Amino acid sequence: GLWHLQTMSCNACDSCPNTNTRYLGTHLNIKSDTCPEGSVAGITKLRTDATSGKYEPVVWNTGDYFAEGIDDPYIYAIESETDCYEAFNLPLIGDDDEIKVTLNCESIECVFRHDVRFKCYKTGVLLTDEGDGGGVQVMSDIDDTIVCPSPQCISKSECLLDSRSVKAFIAGKDNRLEHHEFYPGVGEMMLGLARGPKADMQDDPKFHPTKAIFLSARPREASSFLAMDQSSGLNLYLENVGDRVNMTFGANVDRSMYGTALDGTSYTEMGETKAKSYNDIGTRLPNTRFVFLGDNGQGDVCAAQSMLESDNGDQLVAVLIHKTGDR
């Protein structure tokens, strides 16, 4: 989904402190400072116009993430061929340590005026935040954990006759629900973990929940049809969970990580790949508390054991395993 910035009316940016000129096919980037670990970047003021030319404003992430370039950075808002753009329903709180506004010039010459202000918002995931009721950074598997793949075939050769079936077969094994049906209450549980135990006791919560990071066994080599982006059903489902309680939530599609076809069908190899992904993130965020959600298929139990035994094991404060079927 896109952040729905209210821009029905736009006041001329006569008092805006900054002016820049760009030409057709070029752009101006206005980027936040890098927020410290345990916080995310947001926008508290966004006013732009062009005294000459038309432009396309884009509010999005910077793209410097743990993922391997599977998709473009998350876009919060975009509008084409305008000469004035002002946001009213702020703050816009992002999901990473940087956020930027890009003004793409769509005319021979664009003379931009702008006033964009940023702020860092605490997430409560630091080891030192636990006593204040902070939440955790949720890391989760997808298939058999969040959604039911429900494959309708029992072998690869049988699945190849139906594109939907082969996707489901690669993804997981559970067929107790409909194809891609979300397990009841899983989104609310993830948001609760991210918010922390004291969130509902505070009129003005001091922490903002982090979006969930996904560690999937889906092979990155099949990203063209298995990768998750911001328009995917999983992200839209989690965003809707947040919307119902007036919170910004969703899937952190830029940081989510995938498996590899080299893992084959070995659950041990799948688990080790997820554990390596966890260690990469834990090393870059050494003061963050994590919870891992998985299932008893495709190596998640092995993954959790490796995570707990790793150098970053102390950061993993809980593991929740979804039992699928009789396994």
Side-chain angles (χ1 to χ4, degrees):
L2 292 177
W3 182 275
H4 299 293
L5 293 173
Q6 295 177 1
T7 58
M8 287 77 74
S9 61
C10 184
N11 299 312
C13 210
D14 295 333
S15 61
C16 290
N18 304 292
T19 302
N20 297 90
T21 300
R22 293 292 186 271
Y23 301 96
L24 182 65
T26 64
H27 61 269
L28 171 69
N29 277 331
I30 308 164
K31 191 173 76 170
S32 70
D33 291 334
T34 302
C35 293
E37 182 181 357
S39 60
V40 291
I43 296 175
T44 60
K45 189 170 186 177
L46 174 53
R47 292 185 64 199
T48 67
D49 74 2
T51 57
S52 173
K54 298 283 187 179
Y55 64 101
E56 176 190 63
V58 186
V59 183
W60 56 342
N61 284 334
T62 60
D64 183 17
Y65 303 101
F66 308 143
E68 300 176 0
I70 289 176
D71 271 309
D72 292 332
Y74 190 98
I75 296 175
Y76 299 96
I78 186 169
E79 184 172 324
S80 296
E81 296 187 347
T82 185
D83 58 10
C84 188
Y85 188 81
E86 180 177 6
F88 296 97
N89 58 332
L90 297 174
L92 186 162
I93 302 174
D95 59 24
D96 212 89
D97 56 8
E98 294 179 350
I99 195 169
K100 68 179 178 181
V101 176
T102 298
L103 307 180
N104 294 313
C105 181
E106 298 180 321
S107 299
I108 299 299
E109 180 185 73
C110 300
V111 179
F112 298 125
R113 301 186 298 183
H114 54 93
D115 187 359
V116 183
R117 303 180 192 182
F118 304 98
K119 179 181 177 180
C120 295
Y121 292 86
K122 293 183 178 180
T123 59
V125 299
L126 297 180
L127 297 168
T128 54
D129 293 329
E130 184 175 10
D132 293 328
V136 293
Q137 174 63 68
V138 175
M139 307 183 75
S140 179
D141 178 53
I142 299 175
D143 302 295
D144 288 338
T145 301
I146 307 300
V147 299
C148 185
S150 194
Q152 300 302 308
C153 49
I154 59 175
S155 67
K156 289 182 180 179
S157 58
E158 181 184 346
C159 288
L160 288 174
L161 299 175
D162 180 357
S163 61
R164 194 186 85 162
S165 292
V166 71
K167 293 179 186 179
F169 184 84
I170 293 173
K173 304 301 181 186
D174 192 10
N175 58 10
R176 293 174 295 173
L177 302 177
E178 296 296 324
H179 176 65
H180 267 197
E181 183 177 350
F182 293 96
Y183 293 110
V186 67
E188 289 77 7
M189 178 185 69
M190 296 172 74
L191 177 57
L193 290 168
R195 295 183 68 194
K198 296 184 179 179
D200 290 331
M201 305 176 188
Q202 302 166 343
D203 293 332
D204 184 18
K206 61 189 299 185
F207 299 125
H208 178 79
T210 56
K211 293 185 179 181
I213 295 175
F214 288 93
L215 308 179
S216 175
R218 299 176 180 183
R220 66 178 67 95
E221 294 87 351
S223 62
S224 60
F225 67 95
L226 289 180
M228 175 179 56
D229 58 30
Q230 70 186 85
S231 63
S232 69
L234 176 54
N235 179 57
L236 296 177
Y237 163 71
L238 292 177
E239 287 187 350
N240 186 54
V241 168
D243 289 342
R244 290 200 296 266
V245 292
N246 198 31
M247 301 291 297
T248 302
F249 191 54
N252 193 325
V253 297
D254 292 323
R255 286 193 173 185
S256 294
M257 305 177 79
Y258 297 85
T260 172
L262 297 176
D263 293 339
T265 58
S266 168
Y267 290 167
T268 299
E269 293 296 328
M270 292 179 183
E272 289 302 319
T273 297
K274 292 178 184 179
K276 182 181 183 301
S277 296
Y278 163 77
N279 275 309
D280 290 345
I281 297 176
T283 298
R284 292 190 64 172
L285 301 174
N287 301 303
T288 294
R289 295 175 297 126
F290 298 95
V291 165
F292 175 62
L293 309 183
D295 59 84
N296 63 331
Q298 294 198 340
D300 289 345
V301 175
C302 294
Q305 290 173 334
S306 295
M307 292 174 189
L308 290 167
E309 294 169 359
S310 71
D311 292 340
N312 301 317
D314 290 344
Q315 295 174 246
L316 187 61
V317 298
V319 174
L320 303 177
I321 297 296
H322 177 221
K323 183 179 179 182
T324 60
D326 296 327
R327 289 176 291 168

